[in-house]
Amino acid sequence: VYERTGSATATSTLFVAEMLVGMVLASVGGGLADRYDRRTVLLVSYVARAVIVLLVAALSPLLAVMAFGVLARSIGQLDNPSFDALIPNLADGDLQQVIGARRFTQSASILIGPAIGGIAVAAIGSRATLGWATVCFVAALASLLTYRHIPGSMPRRDTAGAGAELGDRLLSFGHVVDG
C-alpha cells in the first residue's frame, strides 16, 4: 500500500482494519476449532491465504489489494484457535513453555512483521515479496500435510448445535468462547 500510495496514513489504516477484522473473527475461529476438524481448518486456511496473497501480487487496483490484504489477515485469525487447540497434542515437555513460545512468536510477528515486509518490499519489490509470502504459505501447507498423526478434533463442548441453522450456530459461537 505504501509503495502504491506513498501514504503512511493509508498503510496504517490498512493495518488497523486488518487488526479490527481479525479481532472480530478470532471468536468465530474458536467456534470453528470446537466444531470442525482442526487440521482441516488449518489446511483450508493456508490454501485460501496462499491463493489470496497470490491474487494480491497479480492485481493492480489499490482497493482490491487492500481488501484482499484484510481478507488474508482475517483468515489467519480464523485458524489461530485451531492451531492453539492442537498445541497440547504436539508439545513435548513443558506445555506452558510451548504455549509461551507460541505467544511470543505471534507477538513478535505482529510487531516486527510489517517492518520486515517493508524492508523486503524496498529490497525486492512488492510483487516479489508477495510471491515469497505465497511460497511460505505453500511450504507451511506442505509441512502440515505431513503431520497425519495430529488428532483433528476434540470432543465437542456443545453438541446442541448439530442440527441448528447457520444463524443459530453463529450465535452459539459466542457461548462456546464464553463457556
Side-chain angles (χ1 to χ4, degrees):
V1 171
Y2 185 79
E3 181 180 73
R4 293 182 185 195
T5 65
S7 168
T9 301
T11 305
S12 335
T13 301
L14 177 63
F15 179 74
V16 169
E18 289 175 351
M19 297 303 285
L20 290 175
V21 172
M23 286 178 359
V24 170
L25 291 180
S27 63
V28 175
L32 290 173
D34 285 341
R35 285 187 166 64
Y36 300 103
D37 180 83
R38 293 167 182 158
R39 183 173 176 269
T40 301
V41 170
L42 290 171
L43 291 171
V44 169
S45 169
Y46 287 8
V47 167
R49 287 193 284 168
V51 169
I52 289 168
V53 172
L54 194 58
L55 285 173
V56 170
L59 293 173
S60 295
L62 181 62
L63 287 178
V65 168
M66 293 175 76
F68 279 123
V70 169
L71 184 60
R73 170 79 173 139
S74 301
I75 291 172
Q77 291 303 312
L78 284 174
D79 75 29
N80 271 337
S82 290
F83 187 91
D84 289 344
L86 290 172
I87 289 174
N89 299 319
L90 300 173
D92 259 347
D94 186 5
L95 180 59
Q96 291 305 316
Q97 287 181 345
V98 173
I99 291 173
R102 165 95 167 124
R103 295 288 177 235
F104 174 79
T105 303
Q106 284 179 315
S107 298
S109 71
I110 289 170
L111 290 173
I112 65 171
I116 293 171
I119 292 168
V121 167
I124 62 175
S126 61
R127 292 187 194 272
T129 300
L130 290 168
W132 178 248
T134 302
V135 168
C136 289
F137 279 120
V138 170
L141 177 64
S143 175
L144 185 60
L145 285 170
T146 66
Y147 292 116
R148 299 257 182 237
H149 67 281
I150 297 175
S153 62
M154 301 292 278
R156 291 183 183 194
R157 290 186 211 167
D158 175 22
T159 56
E165 296 296 322
L166 177 61
D168 294 332
R169 286 185 182 183
L170 289 174
L171 289 174
S172 74
F173 282 152
H175 298 294
V176 171
V177 172
D178 293 338

